[in-house]
Amino acid sequence: MSESPAEGAPALSRVDVTGAAADMLRHLAATYGQLMFHQSGGCCDGSSPMCYPVGMFRVGASDILIGTLHVDGMYPVEVYMSRSQFEYWKYTFLTIDLVDGRGSGFSIEAPEGKRFMIRSRLLDDSELEAFGLATHGGVTA
Amino acid sequence: MTIIDRDTEQQQAAPAAAPSVYANPGTAGAVMSFKPRYDNYIGGEYVPPANGQYFQNPTPITGQIFTEVARGTAADVDRAVEAGWKAFETWGKTSVAERAVILNKIADRMEANLELLAVAETWENGKPVRETLAADIPLAIDHFRYFAGCIRAQEGGISELDNDTVAYHFHEPLGVVGQIIPWNFPILMAVWKLAPALAAGNCIVLKPAEQTPASIHVWLQLIEDLLPAGVLNIVNGFGIEAGAPLASHPKIRKIAFTGETTTGRLIMQYASENLIPVTLELGGKSPNVFFADVADEKDSFYDKALEGFTFFALNQGEVCTCPSRALVQRSIYDGFVADGLERVKKVKQGNPLDVSTMIGAQASNDQLEKILSYMDIGKQEGAKLLIGGERADLGGELSGGFYVQPTVFEGQNSMRIFQEEIFGPVLALTSFDDYDDAISLANDTLYGLGAGVWSRSGSQLYRAGRAIQAGRVWSNTYHQYPAHAAFGGYKQSGIGRENHRMMLDHYQQTKNLLVSYADGPMGFF
């Protein structure tokens, strides 16, 4: 592993997790083992991060690994998104949060009465630079 | 409302002296009440879930819990699939006339209980009772009648291959099918899947959405005596605990799902393991294109177009085909948008059980939170907020409900609020220069479920409608859902169609009998 599982995000991360979401991940890992996220698009519960045990959802060439979450006491949690969707998301930093709720396709936190949710902010200038997006048009940074 | 046809409008007139505000279910004067608990419905009877667990179901109108529902698991799904196959032994052999009679009786029963069903659906989902009375339930009723007619009229084929050889083509049911239902139109979306599957002679295991698990049982209890035991089985529960075991069950012959892309992919993955067909409806980011000639006159057509602009707020924006991107030609932009915003201001938000309410509650707290998070990213991306933009607190008992103001952002099509399905009453608005620009913007999306085009020019309307990559292009109209028009997606919006007679194909096998009437051998051996 090149990235250190230290507190605080690694230098080049574009994803993070809130404390509440990290607690839920640890809770779920006790039942399901190693976990991953795939960011959904589309209807109903779409535009939400879906949490699965590793191996349940088959990631393919159409997906991109957008980051890895390092949660104390857990194996790294990889976060994927479809490449086509990432084209529209690449200027944003994503934080996975947890809210009260229910229903999320087959995402494993639903029975807990909770729902993982994405909070977004625009990448700042130094982050855009670091991700090679600094000269790219299309956003008002 | 324009989303219904004339026939259903007449049905809507039935209840004399309908109240202006329906009482909360279960209170004095209410037209219906929910039971305190709903079990799974398997093999023609209500049975407790195998693990004995239940989950609580709140109404989004007040946030209060009003019933609890079985938390089904794989063991319940197994039992339901088994009950379905047992029933299929006889149901699969019933005549089309028998099945059509049953579908028509279901429709009649629903029609006689329109208010009851409408209020149950509103309490469950949060949508205005005005819509459930005029659209959800009448459309569901018509859907049963439509497929009752289709299955009677459907014919197989006979091909005379040569003088002695004939190919016969028969339609046969698939067997037991799985159906996973979304929460935005809990009864209507269930009926979209149920009616063709039943008409074709299949047995069903249906999993309602965990956000809206109860109203389908109110419906079921009205019509339960009309269906033989085991033909329809309902297993409630969470996606991971009941939906995944259903979608991956080795004994189902088809799976139908409405929802989002990641779960859609997972369901295809399961279907590939079992080599069964799958139909998916996965939403969209539908463009609503207004060409300049719309504003040539300030007449009834212009008024209709303004309503079309405002249709993003229908069902709180919780529609897969929500016209959530408005593209307005630059030459009329300022005036048309100003008039459009005036129309949006007139959208009345309030108690969904008040018949004058036009926009109700979002279906769940997580849905509310997601919409608010998108408003936040819209502002951060530099989109200009023209109206709305906040959660709405309606006071009293409604303060606990999940209400959002109708919201319009002005921005560019590359912004995330223009590209992602927010599934709330949030419109992303931008301008275009000419026809080519309009089509380019309209098609600059991962999705292709619905679209709207507005123009006084028939040829422009036609050309634009054909050029937009979407399965349904409403032309000078929007949000009409008649049973006899195919509905489904291009691109990442899904696979297959719903509605229309062609839907029967998704629930039928083709049996070919190739028959030789020749007296002698072929001559090879």
Side-chain angles (χ1 to χ4, degrees):
Chain A
M1 258 193 337
S2 57
E3 294 168 332
S4 66
E7 54 281 357
L12 269 184
S13 179
R14 66 194 332 146
V15 291
D16 200 359
V17 62
T18 64
D23 288 344
M24 177 57 74
L25 284 171
R26 269 189 293 271
H27 173 71
L28 293 169
T31 302
Y32 291 99
Q34 201 170 344
L35 304 177
M36 56 85 76
F37 280 102
H38 191 274
Q39 172 65 36
S40 185
C43 201
C44 303
D45 304 300
S47 309
S48 295
M50 301 294 172
C51 184
Y52 302 123
V54 168
M56 176 174 161
F57 181 89
R58 190 163 58 223
V59 177
S62 64
D63 296 300
I64 186 167
L65 173 65
I66 62 168
T68 303
L69 302 171
H70 299 280
V71 176
D72 286 346
M74 288 186 70
Y75 288 105
V77 179
E78 294 183 328
V79 182
Y80 290 88
M81 180 183 295
S82 74
R83 285 180 188 278
S84 52
Q85 192 171 340
F86 181 68
E87 278 303 301
Y88 297 104
W89 289 59
K90 62 187 176 187
Y91 302 105
T92 43
F93 185 99
L94 308 176
T95 302
I96 295 174
D97 195 5
L98 190 75
V99 298
D100 289 337
R102 162 172 305 153
S104 41
F106 298 169
S107 195
I108 58 174
E109 80 283 10
E112 310 288 331
K114 299 287 181 184
R115 180 74 197 94
F116 289 117
M117 197 189 78
I118 289 283
R119 298 198 188 277
S120 308
R121 69 166 173 79
L122 295 182
L123 296 176
D124 63 28
D125 289 346
S126 63
E127 289 168 324
L128 288 170
E129 185 74 33
F131 287 115
L133 298 168
T135 57
H136 215 293
V139 285
T140 49
Chain B
M1 295 180 67
T2 61
I3 47 179
I4 52 174
D5 61 29
R6 191 170 300 146
D7 289 344
T8 50
E9 208 156 22
Q10 285 165 356
Q11 293 158 13
Q12 180 207 353
S20 61
V21 182
Y22 286 93
N24 291 358
T27 64
V31 297
M32 64 85 54
S33 57
F34 285 90
K35 292 184 169 187
R37 168 183 282 188
Y38 292 97
D39 281 310
N40 291 321
Y41 183 74
I42 297 173
E45 59 182 354
Y46 274 98
V47 292
N51 69 2
Q53 291 187 304
Y54 296 82
F55 65 96
Q56 295 190 313
N57 186 35
T59 170
I61 293 176
T62 65
Q64 299 297 309
I65 306 294
F66 68 93
T67 187
E68 65 175 14
V69 180
R71 184 174 164 180
T73 56
D76 302 293
V77 171
D78 283 344
R79 194 170 168 182
V81 172
E82 192 180 330
W85 278 113
K86 184 153 179 284
F88 184 70
E89 291 170 13
T90 47
W91 178 250
K93 297 188 181 77
T94 50
S95 70
V96 293
E98 287 173 79
R99 297 201 297 269
V101 165
I102 289 174
L103 295 190
N104 278 320
K105 282 182 179 172
I106 291 172
D108 293 345
R109 197 72 68 79
M110 292 173 71
E111 193 169 48
N113 292 279
L114 174 64
E115 279 186 300
L116 180 157
L117 288 167
V119 168
E121 188 74 328
T122 286
W123 193 248
E124 171 87 302
N125 167 277
K127 65 178 71 193
V129 75
R130 192 178 78 138
E131 287 178 17
T132 51
L133 284 168
D136 296 57
I137 307 303
L139 285 168
I141 293 166
D142 187 57
H143 219 74
F144 279 112
R145 290 185 175 139
Y146 175 77
F147 279 102
C150 281
I151 199 67
R152 292 295 300 273
Q154 188 183 37
E155 300 213 32
I158 299 176
S159 306
E160 184 180 331
L161 304 177
D162 60 39
N163 204 34
D164 292 321
T165 319
V166 180
Y168 298 94
H169 293 98
F170 298 91
H171 299 293
E172 294 182 354
L174 297 175
V176 177
V177 299
Q179 302 181 331
I180 298 178
I181 310 302
W183 45 259
N184 56 343
F185 295 82
I187 291 177
L188 181 60
M189 290 302 101
V191 170
W192 275 18
K193 291 179 169 54
L194 286 171
L198 291 171
N202 299 284
C203 293
I204 297 161
V205 178
L206 181 140
K207 196 198 89 66
E210 47 269 58
Q211 296 93 331
T212 55
S215 60
I216 192 72
H217 291 287
V218 175
W219 169 82
L220 178 68
Q221 288 177 328
L222 287 176
I223 62 93
E224 187 183 351
D225 60 303
L226 299 174
L227 284 171
V231 169
L232 171 61
N233 306 278
I234 300 180
V235 177
N236 281 104
F238 294 103
I240 184 65
E241 295 177 345
L246 175 59
S248 59
H249 202 286
K251 289 187 178 167
I252 60 167
R253 291 283 166 81
K254 181 234 164 70
I255 182 77
F257 171 70
T258 297
E260 30 62 47
T261 57
T262 298
T263 309
R265 281 177 55 179
L266 197 45
I267 282 172
M268 282 195 87
Q269 184 183 310
Y270 293 140
S272 79
E273 291 165 15
N274 290 319
L275 290 174
I276 59 168
V278 52
T279 44
L280 301 172
E281 201 272 85
L282 305 177
K285 191 70 185 180
S286 302
N288 205 7
V289 182
F290 298 89
F291 284 105
D293 62 4
V294 163
D296 283 353
E297 307 275 344
K298 298 292 167 65
D299 54 1
S300 173
F301 179 77
Y302 186 73
D303 188 56
K304 182 187 182 190
L306 293 176
E307 183 189 40
F309 178 88
T310 313
F311 260 136
F312 73 92
L314 187 85
N315 206 49
Q316 298 74 242
E318 293 170 347
V319 193
C320 308
T321 44
C322 174
S324 53
R325 287 190 297 145
L327 313 179
V328 180
Q329 194 152 8
R330 200 179 305 281
S331 58
I332 62 162
Y333 185 84
D334 290 346
F336 183 80
V337 169
D339 290 341
L341 290 174
E342 282 305 309
R343 186 64 67 95
V344 174
K345 279 182 199 161
K346 289 181 182 153
V347 173
K348 185 183 169 194
Q349 189 157 37
N351 179 2
L353 290 172
D354 183 332
V355 295
S356 68
T357 291
M358 300 178 191
I359 184 168
Q362 307 306 139
S364 65
N365 178 63
D366 47 313
Q367 188 57 26
L368 168 77
E369 293 276 359
K370 187 172 75 184
I371 295 164
L372 296 176
S373 79
Y374 269 103
M375 291 180 175
D376 178 49
I377 188 66
K379 291 169 190 167
Q380 287 187 56
E381 281 187 300
K384 185 177 170 192
L385 181 63
L386 301 183
I387 192 170
E390 304 205 7
R391 182 177 185 170
D393 185 344
L394 303 184
E397 66 171 357
L398 302 180
S399 281
F402 314 130
Y403 300 87
V404 174
Q405 297 169 347
T407 296
V408 179
F409 279 108
E410 183 181 66
Q412 285 87 47
N413 201 59
S414 58
M415 292 175 170
R416 279 185 47 194
I417 55 168
F418 280 76
Q419 292 295 336
E420 293 156 36
E421 185 159 5
I422 299 171
F423 228 57
V426 182
L427 178 65
L429 166 69
T430 194
S431 60
F432 65 87
D433 290 320
D434 55 18
Y435 174 87
D436 289 342
D437 193 23
I439 301 304
S440 167
L441 284 171
N443 285 333
D444 179 15
T445 170
L446 300 175
Y447 304 100
L449 187 59
V453 180
W454 302 79
S455 173
R456 292 174 196 264
S457 156
S459 62
Q460 182 160 253
L461 203 61
Y462 174 78
R463 280 187 294 119
R466 294 301 300 270
I468 293 173
Q469 294 295 302
R472 161 78 56 85
V473 183
W474 281 282
S475 306
N476 287 342
T477 183
Y478 211 97
H479 272 335
Q480 290 187 292
Y481 298 92
H484 200 158
F487 181 90
Y490 282 33
K491 301 200 280 193
Q492 293 191 20
S493 289
I495 298 170
R497 291 293 179 270
E498 298 194 287
N499 295 281
H500 196 273
R501 187 189 60 199
M502 67 178 74
M503 182 64 176
L504 289 173
D505 293 344
H506 288 314
Y507 284 101
Q508 291 177 322
Q509 271 289 10
T510 298
K511 168 64 58 67
N512 168 233
L513 288 190
L514 187 58
V515 182
S516 170
Y517 292 101
D519 291 328
M522 289 173 68
F524 280 112
F525 298 103

